[in-house]
Amino acid sequence: MSISSRHVREFGFLVEPISGNFSGGKLTPLEDHSDRTQWLKESSNRDGYYYPPEEVLYELDPGTMKRKDKLPRSGRPALLYPLPASHSLCLASPLDSSNAVSSDDALIIHLLAYLYGRRLQFADWKFDGRVPVQSLGGIQIRPATTLDFLGHSYEWWRSTTSDIRKRLIHILYVFTRARSLEWEWDEFIHQYMVFDGLYRLHRKLDPAAPKRDVPHKNRIGFMLEAYGIPSPPNSDLVQRLCDVRNDLFHEVAWDGETICFGNADSDAFSLPRHLARLNSRLICGIVNYRNDYSVSGWWAMWSFSFGRAT
């Protein structure tokens, strides 16, 4: 990779100090990665999240435009805020670095967030809401497999159309952003948007896909069959996901109750997590990285090993 042609961006925050080359790029932790990680852990809440810092307004001197006194009653949690970078990403020949939202490096950092159960962003961009410091992905992966997955997925992504490339980045971003949400119904909405986006993407990728839309009540079963993912032993789970989706989208209700006032004994809190685990397997299948994880039991709460594609 020549110095003159490379494209470098810093991003964060990835606690794991992963480094190495993959097809088309290279990951490198920043020199003071361990110090930055320690700061983040000390600054985060004991629940495993970093929360927005407080921001306040100040009066400006109209002559000098310098900050004067803090305005009373102006403090609030920041809507957007930065986090320090943890790594640099070097790409040899990105397809398009002009549109950062759907660029090659956006793909790579969102794939890393997908694998490691985090949210990641460019160093000069900002986060909204809380950010998970501890992994929420339910994936156990070796660094060598991470680099293999990145290289495979990047090659696959580069070989597709610009429309498909953009759709996958949209999916990955919303999938990882859902980890910052605090209400189960809100997380469920985001994960169902991801599932529907994966369904649409599959129909564009598979020439044998039915030309007519599959009804929502049959879509989960359709996608399970398409990617060889097993159905849960509890046959009611798929129907439950469909019913809750219909209630939320058409009746403005969460599990039959007013949003935020549901039954504390309900199992609805686990439904967005079930859907997230299903989406995680589908993402792996969409990029054609067929390993044991991609066809594992998505209804189980424990972590799964993410091995190399076979």
Side-chain angles (χ1 to χ4, degrees), residues 164-182:
I164 289 174
R165 292 197 297 268
K166 184 181 293 186
R167 284 174 180 266
L168 181 61
I169 290 176
H170 291 173
I171 286 168
L172 289 168
Y173 175 75
V174 175
F175 177 80
T176 58
R177 185 182 183 275
R179 294 169 174 155
S180 292
L181 303 174
E182 302 201 42

Side-chain angles (χ1 to χ4, degrees), residues 153-154 160 163 205 248 270 300:
S153 301
Y154 189 31
T160 63
D163 175 63
L205 290 169
L248 193 55
S270 65

Side-chain angles (χ1 to χ4, degrees), residues 39-288:
W39 173 86
L40 183 63
K41 290 182 177 179
E42 291 176 354
S43 303
S44 63
N45 192 281
R46 65 188 302 156
D47 67 358
Y49 290 90
Y50 181 89
Y51 284 86
E54 184 184 49
E55 62 179 7
V56 296
L57 299 179
Y58 284 84
E59 181 183 1
L60 293 180
D61 185 308
T64 64
M65 296 306 292
K66 290 185 178 180
R67 194 167 68 179
K68 293 174 61 178
D69 299 326
K70 182 171 70 172
L71 294 175
R73 296 182 291 108
S74 65
R76 56 152 289 171
L79 177 64
L80 299 170
Y81 62 93
L83 280 178
S86 61
H87 289 70
S88 68
L89 168 64
C90 181
L91 296 178
S93 54
L95 292 177
D96 182 10
S97 58
S98 61
N99 183 3
V101 175
S102 56
S103 62
D104 301 51
D105 32 21
L107 171 79
I108 300 301
I109 69 169
H110 295 320
L111 284 172
L112 283 166
Y114 155 75
L115 286 176
Y116 287 97
R118 305 306 202 305
R119 280 184 73 191
L120 300 175
Q121 193 55 278
F122 299 125
D124 52 344
W125 287 29
K126 296 181 178 181
F127 291 90
D128 66 308
R130 61 180 185 170
V131 174
V133 177
Q134 299 175 359
S135 177
L136 299 176
I139 286 175
Q140 298 177 354
I141 187 169
R142 296 178 181 273
T145 306
T146 296
L147 297 172
D148 184 67
F149 176 77
L150 291 179
H152 169 95
S153 301
Y154 189 31
E155 288 182 356
W156 178 90
W157 184 83
R158 288 174 65 94
S159 71
T160 63
T161 66
S162 60
D163 175 63
I164 289 174
R165 292 197 297 268
K166 184 181 293 186
R167 284 174 180 266
L168 181 61
I169 290 176
H170 291 173
I171 286 168
L172 289 168
Y173 175 75
V174 175
F175 177 80
T176 58
R177 185 182 183 275
R179 294 169 174 155
S180 292
L181 303 174
E182 302 201 42
W183 291 103
E184 293 89 352
W185 57 268
D186 200 3
E187 185 181 358
F188 187 92
I189 288 175
H190 279 67
Q191 290 296 351
Y192 200 89
M193 287 193 295
V194 169
F195 172 76
D196 225 22
L198 289 165
Y199 162 76
R200 297 288 176 188
L201 187 53
H202 169 75
R203 291 191 65 199
K204 285 184 168 290
L205 290 169
D206 185 4
K211 294 182 179 179
R212 297 187 65 179
D213 248 350
V214 177
H216 281 282
K217 65 179 181 179
N218 298 330
R219 282 187 190 177
I220 292 179
F222 170 78
M223 292 294 281
L224 293 177
E225 182 177 354
Y227 288 93
I229 301 173
S231 296
N234 175 10
S235 59
D236 294 336
L237 177 57
V238 171
Q239 186 61 49
R240 183 106 166 83
L241 291 169
C242 295
D243 290 344
V244 168
R245 178 260 175 199
N246 290 338
D247 273 358
L248 193 55
F249 283 44
H250 299 301
E251 307 298 336
V252 201
W254 176 238
D255 196 25
E257 302 288 344
T258 303
I259 286 175
C260 299
F261 292 92
N263 183 351
D265 295 328
S266 170
D267 65 345
F269 74 92
S270 65
L271 296 180
R273 309 298 168 84
H274 285 310
L275 197 51
R277 288 190 294 271
L278 172 57
N279 286 337
S280 185
R281 273 92 174 154
L282 289 173
I283 289 169
C284 198
I286 282 282
V287 300
N288 202 30

